[in-house]
PDB file of all heavy atoms in Angstrom:
ATOM      1  N   PRO A 278      95.623  96.577 108.497  1.00 98.00           N
ATOM      2  CA  PRO A 278      95.263  96.276 109.865  1.00 98.00           C
ATOM      3  C   PRO A 278      95.595  97.459 110.783  1.00 98.00           C
ATOM      4  O   PRO A 278      96.694  98.018 110.679  1.00 98.00           O
ATOM      5  CB  PRO A 278      96.136  95.081 110.220  1.00 98.00           C
ATOM      6  CG  PRO A 278      96.536  94.494 108.897  1.00 98.00           C
ATOM      7  CD  PRO A 278      96.624  95.630 107.951  1.00 98.00           C
ATOM      8  N   MET A 391     100.593 100.467 104.545  1.00 98.00           N
ATOM      9  CA  MET A 391     101.423  99.324 104.882  1.00 98.00           C
ATOM     10  C   MET A 391     102.773  99.437 104.141  1.00 98.00           C
ATOM     11  O   MET A 391     103.722  98.766 104.492  1.00 98.00           O
ATOM     12  CB  MET A 391     100.725  97.999 104.586  1.00 98.00           C
ATOM     13  CG  MET A 391     100.213  97.783 103.194  1.00 98.00           C
ATOM     14  SD  MET A 391     101.494  97.265 102.054  1.00 98.00           S
ATOM     15  CE  MET A 391     101.784  95.623 102.584  1.00 98.00           C
ATOM     16  N   SER A 406     102.027  95.236 111.010  1.00 98.00           N
ATOM     17  CA  SER A 406     101.294  93.980 110.805  1.00 98.00           C
ATOM     18  C   SER A 406     101.824  93.305 109.550  1.00 98.00           C
ATOM     19  O   SER A 406     102.032  92.090 109.510  1.00 98.00           O
ATOM     20  CB  SER A 406      99.817  94.240 110.664  1.00 98.00           C
ATOM     21  OG  SER A 406      99.326  94.917 111.794  1.00 98.00           O
ATOM     22  N   ALA A 407     102.039  94.077 108.497  1.00 98.00           N
ATOM     23  CA  ALA A 407     102.517  93.521 107.230  1.00 98.00           C
ATOM     24  C   ALA A 407     103.895  92.855 107.426  1.00 98.00           C
ATOM     25  O   ALA A 407     104.151  91.754 106.943  1.00 98.00           O
ATOM     26  CB  ALA A 407     102.607  94.619 106.162  1.00 98.00           C
ATOM     27  N   SER A 409     105.096  91.627 110.147  1.00 98.00           N
ATOM     28  CA  SER A 409     104.941  90.393 110.930  1.00 98.00           C
ATOM     29  C   SER A 409     104.464  89.254 110.035  1.00 98.00           C
ATOM     30  O   SER A 409     104.886  88.108 110.193  1.00 98.00           O
ATOM     31  CB  SER A 409     103.914  90.595 112.050  1.00 98.00           C
ATOM     32  OG  SER A 409     104.237  91.713 112.786  1.00 98.00           O
ATOM     33  N   ILE A 410     103.584  89.578 109.108  1.00 98.00           N
ATOM     34  CA  ILE A 410     103.070  88.542 108.212  1.00 98.00           C
ATOM     35  C   ILE A 410     104.187  88.030 107.283  1.00 98.00           C
ATOM     36  O   ILE A 410     104.326  86.848 107.052  1.00 98.00           O
ATOM     37  CB  ILE A 410     101.870  89.091 107.393  1.00 98.00           C
ATOM     38  CG1 ILE A 410     100.693  89.328 108.335  1.00 98.00           C
ATOM     39  CG2 ILE A 410     101.466  88.149 106.260  1.00 98.00           C
ATOM     40  CD1 ILE A 410      99.635  90.302 107.835  1.00 98.00           C
ATOM     41  N   VAL A 411     105.009  88.952 106.797  1.00 98.00           N
ATOM     42  CA  VAL A 411     106.145  88.547 105.947  1.00 98.00           C
ATOM     43  C   VAL A 411     107.097  87.659 106.752  1.00 98.00           C
ATOM     44  O   VAL A 411     107.553  86.614 106.284  1.00 98.00           O
ATOM     45  CB  VAL A 411     106.880  89.789 105.376  1.00 98.00           C
ATOM     46  CG1 VAL A 411     108.151  89.363 104.639  1.00 98.00           C
ATOM     47  CG2 VAL A 411     105.951  90.571 104.423  1.00 98.00           C
ATOM     48  N   ALA A 414     105.710  84.254 107.181  1.00 98.00           N
ATOM     49  CA  ALA A 414     105.771  83.513 105.905  1.00 98.00           C
ATOM     50  C   ALA A 414     107.192  83.001 105.654  1.00 98.00           C
ATOM     51  O   ALA A 414     107.393  81.868 105.209  1.00 98.00           O
ATOM     52  CB  ALA A 414     105.294  84.422 104.763  1.00 98.00           C
ATOM     53  N   GLU A 432     107.690  87.361  96.818  1.00 98.00           N
ATOM     54  CA  GLU A 432     107.327  88.707  96.338  1.00 98.00           C
ATOM     55  C   GLU A 432     106.405  89.385  97.373  1.00 98.00           C
ATOM     56  O   GLU A 432     105.393  88.820  97.734  1.00 98.00           O
ATOM     57  CB  GLU A 432     106.627  88.630  94.977  1.00 98.00           C
ATOM     58  CG  GLU A 432     106.247  89.986  94.411  1.00 98.00           C
ATOM     59  CD  GLU A 432     105.498  89.875  93.120  1.00 98.00           C
ATOM     60  OE1 GLU A 432     105.926  89.122  92.205  1.00 98.00           O
ATOM     61  OE2 GLU A 432     104.438  90.547  93.012  1.00 98.00           O
ATOM     62  N   MET A 434     104.616  93.272  98.901  1.00 97.00           N
ATOM     63  CA  MET A 434     104.126  94.566  98.410  1.00 97.00           C
ATOM     64  C   MET A 434     105.197  95.648  98.547  1.00 97.00           C
ATOM     65  O   MET A 434     106.102  95.550  99.370  1.00 97.00           O
ATOM     66  CB  MET A 434     102.855  94.970  99.111  1.00 97.00           C
ATOM     67  CG  MET A 434     101.641  94.222  98.598  1.00 97.00           C
ATOM     68  SD  MET A 434     100.119  94.840  99.303  1.00 97.00           S
ATOM     69  CE  MET A 434      98.914  93.934  98.325  1.00 97.00           C
ATOM     70  N   THR A 536     106.659  82.576  95.643  1.00 98.00           N
ATOM     71  CA  THR A 536     105.458  82.789  96.457  1.00 98.00           C
ATOM     72  C   THR A 536     105.124  84.277  96.439  1.00 98.00           C
ATOM     73  O   THR A 536     106.000  85.095  96.713  1.00 98.00           O
ATOM     74  CB  THR A 536     105.712  82.373  97.932  1.00 98.00           C
ATOM     75  OG1 THR A 536     106.139  81.010  97.940  1.00 98.00           O
ATOM     76  CG2 THR A 536     104.463  82.538  98.782  1.00 98.00           C
ATOM     77  N   VAL A 537     103.918  84.583  96.093  1.00 98.00           N
ATOM     78  CA  VAL A 537     103.477  86.002  96.105  1.00 98.00           C
ATOM     79  C   VAL A 537     102.580  86.176  97.331  1.00 98.00           C
ATOM     80  O   VAL A 537     101.513  85.603  97.405  1.00 98.00           O
ATOM     81  CB  VAL A 537     102.713  86.340  94.798  1.00 98.00           C
ATOM     82  CG1 VAL A 537     102.281  87.823  94.824  1.00 98.00           C
ATOM     83  CG2 VAL A 537     103.578  86.040  93.566  1.00 98.00           C
ATOM     84  N   LEU A 538     103.045  86.969  98.291  1.00 98.00           N
ATOM     85  CA  LEU A 538     102.251  87.110  99.538  1.00 98.00           C
ATOM     86  C   LEU A 538     101.019  87.997  99.334  1.00 98.00           C
ATOM     87  O   LEU A 538     100.015  87.843 100.018  1.00 98.00           O
ATOM     88  CB  LEU A 538     103.138  87.656 100.668  1.00 98.00           C
ATOM     89  CG  LEU A 538     104.224  86.700 101.137  1.00 98.00           C
ATOM     90  CD1 LEU A 538     104.955  87.275 102.331  1.00 98.00           C
ATOM     91  CD2 LEU A 538     103.685  85.322 101.482  1.00 98.00           C
ATOM     92  N   GLY A 539     101.100  88.923  98.397  1.00 97.00           N
ATOM     93  CA  GLY A 539      99.914  89.714  97.989  1.00 97.00           C
ATOM     94  C   GLY A 539      99.121  90.276  99.148  1.00 97.00           C
ATOM     95  O   GLY A 539      99.670  90.808 100.123  1.00 97.00           O
ATOM     96  N   HIS A 540      97.810  90.153  99.049  1.00 97.00           N
ATOM     97  CA  HIS A 540      96.925  90.827 100.009  1.00 97.00           C
ATOM     98  C   HIS A 540      96.877  90.138 101.373  1.00 97.00           C
ATOM     99  O   HIS A 540      96.264  90.688 102.308  1.00 97.00           O
ATOM    100  CB  HIS A 540      95.533  90.989  99.419  1.00 97.00           C
ATOM    101  CG  HIS A 540      95.514  91.972  98.290  1.00 97.00           C
ATOM    102  ND1 HIS A 540      95.941  91.645  97.025  1.00 97.00           N
ATOM    103  CD2 HIS A 540      95.237  93.280  98.267  1.00 97.00           C
ATOM    104  CE1 HIS A 540      95.852  92.719  96.249  1.00 97.00           C
ATOM    105  NE2 HIS A 540      95.433  93.731  96.976  1.00 97.00           N
ATOM    106  N   THR A 541      97.535  88.982 101.544  1.00 98.00           N
ATOM    107  CA  THR A 541      97.618  88.449 102.921  1.00 98.00           C
ATOM    108  C   THR A 541      98.328  89.445 103.803  1.00 98.00           C
ATOM    109  O   THR A 541      98.118  89.490 105.005  1.00 98.00           O
ATOM    110  CB  THR A 541      98.388  87.096 102.965  1.00 98.00           C
ATOM    111  OG1 THR A 541      99.709  87.307 102.465  1.00 98.00           O
ATOM    112  CG2 THR A 541      97.712  86.018 102.134  1.00 98.00           C
ATOM    113  N   GLN A 542      99.194  90.286 103.194  1.00 98.00           N
ATOM    114  CA  GLN A 542      99.942  91.292 103.974  1.00 98.00           C
ATOM    115  C   GLN A 542      99.071  92.407 104.499  1.00 98.00           C
ATOM    116  O   GLN A 542      99.484  93.209 105.336  1.00 98.00           O
ATOM    117  CB  GLN A 542     101.056  91.891 103.101  1.00 98.00           C
ATOM    118  CG  GLN A 542     102.112  90.921 102.678  1.00 98.00           C
ATOM    119  CD  GLN A 542     102.889  91.429 101.469  1.00 98.00           C
ATOM    120  OE1 GLN A 542     103.907  92.064 101.589  1.00 98.00           O
ATOM    121  NE2 GLN A 542     102.377  91.152 100.274  1.00 98.00           N
ATOM    122  N   ARG A 543      97.884  92.522 103.961  1.00 98.00           N
ATOM    123  CA  ARG A 543      96.992  93.605 104.402  1.00 98.00           C
ATOM    124  C   ARG A 543      95.789  93.065 105.152  1.00 98.00           C
ATOM    125  O   ARG A 543      94.912  93.848 105.563  1.00 98.00           O
ATOM    126  CB  ARG A 543      96.512  94.414 103.190  1.00 98.00           C
ATOM    127  CG  ARG A 543      97.598  95.169 102.510  1.00 98.00           C
ATOM    128  CD  ARG A 543      97.143  96.439 101.810  1.00 98.00           C
ATOM    129  NE  ARG A 543      95.811  96.417 101.288  1.00 98.00           N
ATOM    130  CZ  ARG A 543      95.493  96.694 100.013  1.00 98.00           C
ATOM    131  NH1 ARG A 543      96.439  96.993  99.139  1.00 98.00           N
ATOM    132  NH2 ARG A 543      94.264  96.701  99.634  1.00 98.00           N
ATOM    133  N   GLY A 544      95.693  91.720 105.288  1.00 97.00           N
ATOM    134  CA  GLY A 544      94.495  91.151 105.879  1.00 97.00           C
ATOM    135  C   GLY A 544      94.714  90.714 107.332  1.00 97.00           C
ATOM    136  O   GLY A 544      95.833  90.711 107.846  1.00 97.00           O
ATOM    137  N   GLY A 545      93.618  90.392 107.987  1.00 97.00           N
ATOM    138  CA  GLY A 545      93.668  89.816 109.338  1.00 97.00           C
ATOM    139  C   GLY A 545      93.869  90.853 110.411  1.00 97.00           C
ATOM    140  O   GLY A 545      93.845  92.057 110.183  1.00 97.00           O
ATOM    141  N   SER A 546      94.113  90.338 111.642  1.00 98.00           N
ATOM    142  CA  SER A 546      94.205  91.189 112.820  1.00 98.00           C
ATOM    143  C   SER A 546      95.442  92.044 112.837  1.00 98.00           C
ATOM    144  O   SER A 546      96.516  91.598 112.409  1.00 98.00           O
ATOM    145  CB  SER A 546      94.276  90.307 114.047  1.00 98.00           C
ATOM    146  OG  SER A 546      93.041  89.706 114.251  1.00 98.00           O
TER     147      SER A 546
END
Side-chain angles (χ1 to χ4, degrees):
M391 56 80 72
S406 303
S409 309
I410 291 159
V411 173
E432 181 183 312
M434 282 187 173
T536 303
V537 180
L538 293 184
H540 291 81
T541 59
Q542 295 160 93
R543 293 209 328 235
S546 290

